[in-house]
Structures are given as C-alpha cells and as structure tokens.
Amino acid sequence: MCGIVAVSGNPEAAQLAFLGLYSLQHRGQEAAGIASFESATGESHRVRKAGLVVDAIKETDIAELPGDVAVAHIRYSTAGGAGLKNAQPIRERFRGGVVSLVHNGNLTNANLLRDRLFDEGALFQSTIDSEVIVHLIARSRAPSTEEQIVDALSQVEGAYCVLITVGDTLYAARDPYGYRPLVIGALPSGGLALTSETCALDIMHARYIRDVEPGELVRIRHGEIESVTRLPKFVAEPQPCVFELVYFARPDTRLWGYTVDRARRAFGRRLAEEQPVDGDIVISVPDSANSAAVGYSERSGIPFELGLIRNHYVGRTFITPTQAGRDFKVRMKFSPVREVLQGKRVVVIDDSLVRGTTSRALVNMLREAGAKEVHLRLASPPVRWPCFYGIDMPTREELIASDKSVEEIREYLHVDSLGYLSPEGMTDAVRENGETYCTACFTGDYRAPLVDAGAGFEMSSHC
Ligand code: AMP
C-alpha cells in the first residue's frame, strides 16, 4: 500500500505535493513525508511525521520545504514496520549528490539483498525494503546516475513504483510487471506532477498526460521529460494489480484504463448475473462497496438503499484484538439505519472478504436492526493467498477462504446465503482491451519471483 507524489519544475513543489498526499490518504495513514530540493541553492530539505497528512504536515513545515522539486510519501502501517525511522522519503548523500527516494510496492528479494549488503559492510537506517534501492544506487559502479539507477533496479524483484530525486533531476520508474500505478500530469502553473493515482492529479489541477509504463524509467528536469529508458527484465504480459480496482484505489481515480467507479459497477453487475438472489433492498458496506452495490442494484432491479452509515471520524483505535474488541471496532465504524432495514430481505454487497471479521460483526448488527434475511454478495472472488506485491493481505492461515468452503464461510458469518464473483467474471468485467492482471491473492498465480518468501510465505517488511 502507500502512495507517492513528485513535483518537478514548480516553485510551489512542496505545497503541491502536500495536496497530492492529501488525496492519497486512503493509501496509508501511518506517516507522511515530503523532501524538496532547491535548484538555485543546491539545498535539500525534508519533513517526515507520524499521522494523517493534515495532522502531520503543517503550514510551518511547508514553509521549511522551499524548492522547485519535491517527492512525497504516505505510509501504510505494517506489522513490524511502524516508527518514523521507516517513514519516507529516504534521503542520503552519495557521490552523485543528495538522493531522495519514495517507493510504493513491495520488493520480493529485499531480505536477500539486505543480507548481502550487510556482509559488505552497509549501514542501514531503517528496516524497509525501499532503503535497499538507495544502497544499490550508491554502490553501483556504473558511469552515470541514470545507469546507476538502472543497475540498482535490475537487481530488485517484485513490485515498485519509485520516484527518485538526485539534485534537481527527478527519475520515475515502474517495475516491469507494472503492479502498482504511476501517472504523469502537467501542472497549470508550470512543471510536472507524478503520482500513484489520478485523483491526486485532480486536486493539483494537473492534466493527465500518461502513465509511466511498466518497465520504464523516465527522467525529468525543470518540468521537462528528457529521456526514457527501458529497464531490463522485459515482461510480455504486464500484471497490474486487480485489487487496486476491487478495493484499494479511490473511485474517482482512473486506473488501468478504467475509472475505478466504472470498474466496480461492472463487478457489481456481473455479480448480480452470477449470484442472483431474491431480496427487497441492496445495501453496500460503505464506502468501498458503494459502486459495486449500485451495479448490483442496476442489473438485479432490486432498489439500492443506504442501510449502513459509515462514521468518517473513527481514526485509529487502540482496542485489543479480541473478538469482542473487533465487534466493537465495527460498531464504531458502521451504524445501521433501522427504518431502512426493518423486516427486509437485505442483499449486502461488500468489495471483498479477507478475514471475515468485519462481515461477521456487520451481519449481527443488521439482524439486530431488524433485517429479516441477510444475503452477502462479494464483488470479488475468495481471497485465498497473501499478497507479496504491496497490498496488506495477511498470511494464509488468517484468510478465511484459504481453507474454508463457501458453505463453511456462510455458516461462520451467519448469513442466509453467500455468493462470490468468479475470477473470470472479475477479469472479464475489466478486459475491454484485452488487459492482463495480477490476480495472485485470488488464484495464487505469482509472477514476480518470491525470493524472500520461499516456501514459508513470510511477509517482509513492506510498504
Ligand atoms: P475482513 O474480512 O474483516 O478482514 O475485512 C474485509 C473488509 O476490509 C472488506 O470490506 C474490504 O473493504 C476491506 N479490505 C479489503 N482488503 C483490505 C486490506 N488489504 N486491508 C484493509 N482492509 C481491507
């Protein structure tokens, strides 16, 4: 998870990057950071703080980030990886100058590379995989900065979108599989913006130009795209992550050629065809399932109602992870609308089922609020495999669908019926131009080598 932003060739680089981070908040809530570079003085600056963007980065911080180039990062919390030392941008000085780096994705051979670098005497400041890239750049004997970056990236495996500044030059790269998104836009006040999602371009009033292509390295100076290089390890079939469309990205973002809202509606329509049920109302688990629920309602003809309200002010809770605690957490987040639910056969649409804990608690809540029947429909297939490419998906043991049948899950959730979208239904719905996707969390089909995971399937400290 995580979100990244860069601005080049604009005197308000840090301010704009802040805006970009603000609309990427859904990609991570643990920490936010911005690094800027002043071409005129050659000085670099950095702020990294814990918390939501709006709490973490204040006007006074922006004032301390002058410059016409900036990179910024929003961090998603992971098991072992909390703490500011793991926040980005990473910033170091090497023979090419000051390098600042932000990364979205997860490297699948970072542990191996880190061990090798340790053996060679490298000193690490963090435990994140992204720092490995900076070391590899600095240690490369290649003759130019650009070639050092290519050399470094040719050694890493897995998922990465990186934005790197070396002095006032900005480099952007996307792994050959293209797991995570990275787009380029033109700013109305001059210069270019690069970011994970188009919703961040929109808030900056930037005009979308194009995606950074899978396996592409782009160099930008003073807001001009100067040259483009292909990274080694060409992949014939890119594997953009389908889960970005299912759950992760914001509905107004345009991703993999689809507005996320449109893709989710298509999942919902297909779900209605594959998993019909007699019901009085369709409701969504807000907000991530709203579009899919609209699609389900459209195709089934069952009216869409607002049966659950989401509290947007919940923030982080510190409740112990007991079952009672989890139920309580769900109650803090969602409230049922009794009048809508009372006596109704309710078709509940959720985007995905991971551990099953949210749904189980929600179903109780809906029944207590008077729902006569509860039919759960999921706008994605059973999640059976962990993600190694940057989505926080737990271990196989924690994934409810890894060892339970649909009927066993139905019983566990206490629903009257349960239906998932099929893997083909999901990919067909977003294959208007023959696109291929990473569906590893549903199918176990991992393409980029899982070097660190081996057979043990242990997640590394990822972003
Ligand atoms: P659960 O089944 O209780 O683990 O949670 C599933 C819900 O969490 C779904 O409704 C999704 O909206 C949301 N979700 C899906 N994937 C993730 C993820 N990787 N991290 C956090 N929430 C997720």
Side-chain angles (χ1 to χ4, degrees), residues 1 76 243 247 288 350-358 391-392:
M1 295 163 125
Y76 178 86
F243 207 72
Y247 164 74
S288 48
D350 205 351
D351 57 274
S352 56
L353 193 64
V354 181
R355 293 181 179 83
T357 44
T358 312
I391 296 277
D392 186 19

PDB file of all heavy atoms in Angstrom, residues 1 76 243 247 288 350-358 391-392, ligand 1:
ATOM      1  N   MET A   1       0.870  -1.159   0.000  1.00  0.00           N
ATOM      2  CA  MET A   1       0.000   0.000   0.000  1.00  0.00           C
ATOM      3  C   MET A   1       0.918   1.223   0.000  1.00  0.00           C
ATOM      4  O   MET A   1       2.011   1.106  -0.522  1.00  0.00           O
ATOM      5  CB  MET A   1      -0.991  -0.130   1.149  1.00  0.00           C
ATOM      6  CG  MET A   1      -1.914  -1.334   0.906  1.00  0.00           C
ATOM      7  SD  MET A   1      -2.802  -1.925   2.303  1.00  0.00           S
ATOM      8  CE  MET A   1      -4.473  -1.919   1.822  1.00  0.00           C
ATOM      9  N   TYR A  76       1.571   3.342   4.814  1.00  0.00           N
ATOM     10  CA  TYR A  76       0.560   2.444   5.379  1.00  0.00           C
ATOM     11  C   TYR A  76       1.219   1.647   6.490  1.00  0.00           C
ATOM     12  O   TYR A  76       2.360   1.219   6.353  1.00  0.00           O
ATOM     13  CB  TYR A  76       0.064   1.511   4.273  1.00  0.00           C
ATOM     14  CG  TYR A  76      -0.945   0.505   4.742  1.00  0.00           C
ATOM     15  CD1 TYR A  76      -2.288   0.832   4.786  1.00  0.00           C
ATOM     16  CD2 TYR A  76      -0.559  -0.769   5.130  1.00  0.00           C
ATOM     17  CE1 TYR A  76      -3.225  -0.093   5.210  1.00  0.00           C
ATOM     18  CE2 TYR A  76      -1.491  -1.693   5.562  1.00  0.00           C
ATOM     19  CZ  TYR A  76      -2.820  -1.352   5.607  1.00  0.00           C
ATOM     20  OH  TYR A  76      -3.747  -2.268   6.028  1.00  0.00           O
ATOM     21  N   PHE A 243      -6.610  -5.823  -7.542  1.00  0.00           N
ATOM     22  CA  PHE A 243      -7.167  -5.433  -6.239  1.00  0.00           C
ATOM     23  C   PHE A 243      -7.209  -3.916  -6.053  1.00  0.00           C
ATOM     24  O   PHE A 243      -7.971  -3.401  -5.247  1.00  0.00           O
ATOM     25  CB  PHE A 243      -6.397  -6.110  -5.096  1.00  0.00           C
ATOM     26  CG  PHE A 243      -7.216  -6.304  -3.862  1.00  0.00           C
ATOM     27  CD1 PHE A 243      -8.227  -7.249  -3.817  1.00  0.00           C
ATOM     28  CD2 PHE A 243      -7.011  -5.518  -2.740  1.00  0.00           C
ATOM     29  CE1 PHE A 243      -9.005  -7.413  -2.683  1.00  0.00           C
ATOM     30  CE2 PHE A 243      -7.784  -5.670  -1.594  1.00  0.00           C
ATOM     31  CZ  PHE A 243      -8.785  -6.624  -1.572  1.00  0.00           C
ATOM     32  N   TYR A 247     -10.662  -2.777  -4.466  1.00  0.00           N
ATOM     33  CA  TYR A 247     -10.787  -2.172  -3.139  1.00  0.00           C
ATOM     34  C   TYR A 247      -9.951  -0.919  -2.921  1.00  0.00           C
ATOM     35  O   TYR A 247     -10.402   0.035  -2.307  1.00  0.00           O
ATOM     36  CB  TYR A 247     -10.398  -3.209  -2.065  1.00  0.00           C
ATOM     37  CG  TYR A 247     -10.116  -2.613  -0.711  1.00  0.00           C
ATOM     38  CD1 TYR A 247     -11.158  -2.148   0.106  1.00  0.00           C
ATOM     39  CD2 TYR A 247      -8.811  -2.492  -0.232  1.00  0.00           C
ATOM     40  CE1 TYR A 247     -10.897  -1.590   1.343  1.00  0.00           C
ATOM     41  CE2 TYR A 247      -8.549  -1.925   1.016  1.00  0.00           C
ATOM     42  CZ  TYR A 247      -9.591  -1.477   1.795  1.00  0.00           C
ATOM     43  OH  TYR A 247      -9.346  -0.918   3.011  1.00  0.00           O
ATOM     44  N   SER A 288     -16.222   1.461   0.361  1.00  0.00           N
ATOM     45  CA  SER A 288     -15.510   0.760  -0.710  1.00  0.00           C
ATOM     46  C   SER A 288     -16.438  -0.069  -1.606  1.00  0.00           C
ATOM     47  O   SER A 288     -16.093  -0.357  -2.742  1.00  0.00           O
ATOM     48  CB  SER A 288     -14.407  -0.121  -0.115  1.00  0.00           C
ATOM     49  OG  SER A 288     -14.930  -0.879   0.941  1.00  0.00           O
ATOM     50  N   ASP A 350     -20.367  -6.361  -0.407  1.00  0.00           N
ATOM     51  CA  ASP A 350     -19.055  -5.881   0.054  1.00  0.00           C
ATOM     52  C   ASP A 350     -18.065  -6.125  -1.072  1.00  0.00           C
ATOM     53  O   ASP A 350     -18.285  -6.968  -1.935  1.00  0.00           O
ATOM     54  CB  ASP A 350     -18.623  -6.570   1.348  1.00  0.00           C
ATOM     55  CG  ASP A 350     -17.636  -5.708   2.146  1.00  0.00           C
ATOM     56  OD1 ASP A 350     -17.177  -4.678   1.602  1.00  0.00           O
ATOM     57  OD2 ASP A 350     -17.320  -6.075   3.283  1.00  0.00           O
ATOM     58  N   ASP A 351     -16.957  -5.354  -1.055  1.00  0.00           N
ATOM     59  CA  ASP A 351     -15.998  -5.493  -2.159  1.00  0.00           C
ATOM     60  C   ASP A 351     -15.186  -6.772  -2.025  1.00  0.00           C
ATOM     61  O   ASP A 351     -14.828  -7.395  -3.013  1.00  0.00           O
ATOM     62  CB  ASP A 351     -15.069  -4.271  -2.212  1.00  0.00           C
ATOM     63  CG  ASP A 351     -14.335  -4.077  -0.916  1.00  0.00           C
ATOM     64  OD1 ASP A 351     -14.900  -3.438  -0.016  1.00  0.00           O
ATOM     65  OD2 ASP A 351     -13.219  -4.602  -0.771  1.00  0.00           O
ATOM     66  N   SER A 352     -14.869  -7.159  -0.773  1.00  0.00           N
ATOM     67  CA  SER A 352     -14.022  -8.351  -0.590  1.00  0.00           C
ATOM     68  C   SER A 352     -14.209  -8.882   0.818  1.00  0.00           C
ATOM     69  O   SER A 352     -14.617  -8.156   1.721  1.00  0.00           O
ATOM     70  CB  SER A 352     -12.550  -7.992  -0.817  1.00  0.00           C
ATOM     71  OG  SER A 352     -12.177  -6.941   0.051  1.00  0.00           O
ATOM     72  N   LEU A 353     -13.870 -10.141   0.971  1.00  0.00           N
ATOM     73  CA  LEU A 353     -13.883 -10.760   2.291  1.00  0.00           C
ATOM     74  C   LEU A 353     -12.452 -11.217   2.550  1.00  0.00           C
ATOM     75  O   LEU A 353     -11.910 -11.990   1.764  1.00  0.00           O
ATOM     76  CB  LEU A 353     -14.847 -11.965   2.276  1.00  0.00           C
ATOM     77  CG  LEU A 353     -15.255 -12.568   3.597  1.00  0.00           C
ATOM     78  CD1 LEU A 353     -16.046 -11.563   4.428  1.00  0.00           C
ATOM     79  CD2 LEU A 353     -16.115 -13.805   3.362  1.00  0.00           C
ATOM     80  N   VAL A 354     -11.867 -10.738   3.625  1.00  0.00           N
ATOM     81  CA  VAL A 354     -10.464 -11.066   3.888  1.00  0.00           C
ATOM     82  C   VAL A 354     -10.411 -12.050   5.065  1.00  0.00           C
ATOM     83  O   VAL A 354     -10.343 -13.253   4.884  1.00  0.00           O
ATOM     84  CB  VAL A 354      -9.634  -9.786   4.126  1.00  0.00           C
ATOM     85  CG1 VAL A 354      -8.167 -10.140   4.373  1.00  0.00           C
ATOM     86  CG2 VAL A 354      -9.747  -8.842   2.931  1.00  0.00           C
ATOM     87  N   ARG A 355     -10.518 -11.514   6.289  1.00  0.00           N
ATOM     88  CA  ARG A 355     -10.548 -12.416   7.451  1.00  0.00           C
ATOM     89  C   ARG A 355     -11.980 -12.852   7.780  1.00  0.00           C
ATOM     90  O   ARG A 355     -12.201 -13.838   8.451  1.00  0.00           O
ATOM     91  CB  ARG A 355      -9.968 -11.721   8.675  1.00  0.00           C
ATOM     92  CG  ARG A 355      -8.490 -11.432   8.573  1.00  0.00           C
ATOM     93  CD  ARG A 355      -8.033 -10.759   9.860  1.00  0.00           C
ATOM     94  NE  ARG A 355      -6.617 -10.473   9.842  1.00  0.00           N
ATOM     95  CZ  ARG A 355      -6.088  -9.409   9.269  1.00  0.00           C
ATOM     96  NH1 ARG A 355      -6.852  -8.528   8.634  1.00  0.00           N
ATOM     97  NH2 ARG A 355      -4.777  -9.202   9.294  1.00  0.00           N
ATOM     98  N   GLY A 356     -12.928 -12.018   7.363  1.00  0.00           N
ATOM     99  CA  GLY A 356     -14.328 -12.306   7.667  1.00  0.00           C
ATOM    100  C   GLY A 356     -14.810 -11.633   8.937  1.00  0.00           C
ATOM    101  O   GLY A 356     -15.984 -11.713   9.280  1.00  0.00           O
ATOM    102  N   THR A 357     -13.914 -10.979   9.648  1.00  0.00           N
ATOM    103  CA  THR A 357     -14.307 -10.410  10.948  1.00  0.00           C
ATOM    104  C   THR A 357     -15.260  -9.224  10.790  1.00  0.00           C
ATOM    105  O   THR A 357     -16.211  -9.095  11.554  1.00  0.00           O
ATOM    106  CB  THR A 357     -13.061  -9.963  11.739  1.00  0.00           C
ATOM    107  OG1 THR A 357     -12.194  -9.276  10.852  1.00  0.00           O
ATOM    108  CG2 THR A 357     -12.336 -11.137  12.328  1.00  0.00           C
ATOM    109  N   THR A 358     -15.011  -8.381   9.790  1.00  0.00           N
ATOM    110  CA  THR A 358     -15.891  -7.221   9.603  1.00  0.00           C
ATOM    111  C   THR A 358     -17.298  -7.702   9.265  1.00  0.00           C
ATOM    112  O   THR A 358     -18.281  -7.256   9.873  1.00  0.00           O
ATOM    113  CB  THR A 358     -15.378  -6.331   8.447  1.00  0.00           C
ATOM    114  OG1 THR A 358     -13.997  -6.113   8.617  1.00  0.00           O
ATOM    115  CG2 THR A 358     -16.118  -5.010   8.382  1.00  0.00           C
ATOM    116  N   ILE A 391       0.034  -5.115  -1.335  1.00  0.00           N
ATOM    117  CA  ILE A 391      -1.254  -4.950  -0.648  1.00  0.00           C
ATOM    118  C   ILE A 391      -1.153  -5.724   0.664  1.00  0.00           C
ATOM    119  O   ILE A 391      -0.614  -6.828   0.694  1.00  0.00           O
ATOM    120  CB  ILE A 391      -2.436  -5.508  -1.481  1.00  0.00           C
ATOM    121  CG1 ILE A 391      -2.619  -4.729  -2.787  1.00  0.00           C
ATOM    122  CG2 ILE A 391      -3.725  -5.533  -0.674  1.00  0.00           C
ATOM    123  CD1 ILE A 391      -3.412  -3.456  -2.690  1.00  0.00           C
ATOM    124  N   ASP A 392      -1.655  -5.139   1.740  1.00  0.00           N
ATOM    125  CA  ASP A 392      -1.549  -5.790   3.035  1.00  0.00           C
ATOM    126  C   ASP A 392      -2.590  -6.894   3.147  1.00  0.00           C
ATOM    127  O   ASP A 392      -3.715  -6.670   3.581  1.00  0.00           O
ATOM    128  CB  ASP A 392      -1.754  -4.751   4.147  1.00  0.00           C
ATOM    129  CG  ASP A 392      -1.510  -5.344   5.515  1.00  0.00           C
ATOM    130  OD1 ASP A 392      -0.858  -6.402   5.592  1.00  0.00           O
ATOM    131  OD2 ASP A 392      -1.976  -4.767   6.502  1.00  0.00           O
TER     132      ASP A 392
HETATM  133  P1  AMP B   1     -12.278  -8.629   6.895  1.00  0.00           P
HETATM  134  O1  AMP B   1     -12.948  -9.668   6.054  1.00  0.00           O
HETATM  135  O2  AMP B   1     -12.960  -8.365   8.171  1.00  0.00           O
HETATM  136  O3  AMP B   1     -10.817  -8.935   7.109  1.00  0.00           O
HETATM  137  O4  AMP B   1     -12.299  -7.240   6.133  1.00  0.00           O
HETATM  138  C1  AMP B   1     -12.735  -7.126   4.833  1.00  0.00           C
HETATM  139  C2  AMP B   1     -13.019  -5.693   4.577  1.00  0.00           C
HETATM  140  O5  AMP B   1     -11.824  -4.920   4.675  1.00  0.00           O
HETATM  141  C3  AMP B   1     -13.545  -5.527   3.176  1.00  0.00           C
HETATM  142  O6  AMP B   1     -14.819  -5.000   3.331  1.00  0.00           O
HETATM  143  C4  AMP B   1     -12.666  -4.528   2.489  1.00  0.00           C
HETATM  144  O7  AMP B   1     -13.400  -3.346   2.243  1.00  0.00           O
HETATM  145  C5  AMP B   1     -11.578  -4.213   3.460  1.00  0.00           C
HETATM  146  N1  AMP B   1     -10.276  -4.673   2.956  1.00  0.00           N
HETATM  147  C6  AMP B   1     -10.011  -5.463   1.924  1.00  0.00           C
HETATM  148  N2  AMP B   1      -8.690  -5.664   1.790  1.00  0.00           N
HETATM  149  C7  AMP B   1      -8.093  -4.982   2.747  1.00  0.00           C
HETATM  150  C8  AMP B   1      -6.750  -4.784   3.130  1.00  0.00           C
HETATM  151  N3  AMP B   1      -5.760  -5.343   2.463  1.00  0.00           N
HETATM  152  N4  AMP B   1      -6.517  -4.014   4.204  1.00  0.00           N
HETATM  153  C9  AMP B   1      -7.511  -3.432   4.876  1.00  0.00           C
HETATM  154  N5  AMP B   1      -8.805  -3.583   4.570  1.00  0.00           N
HETATM  155  C10 AMP B   1      -9.111  -4.342   3.521  1.00  0.00           C
END
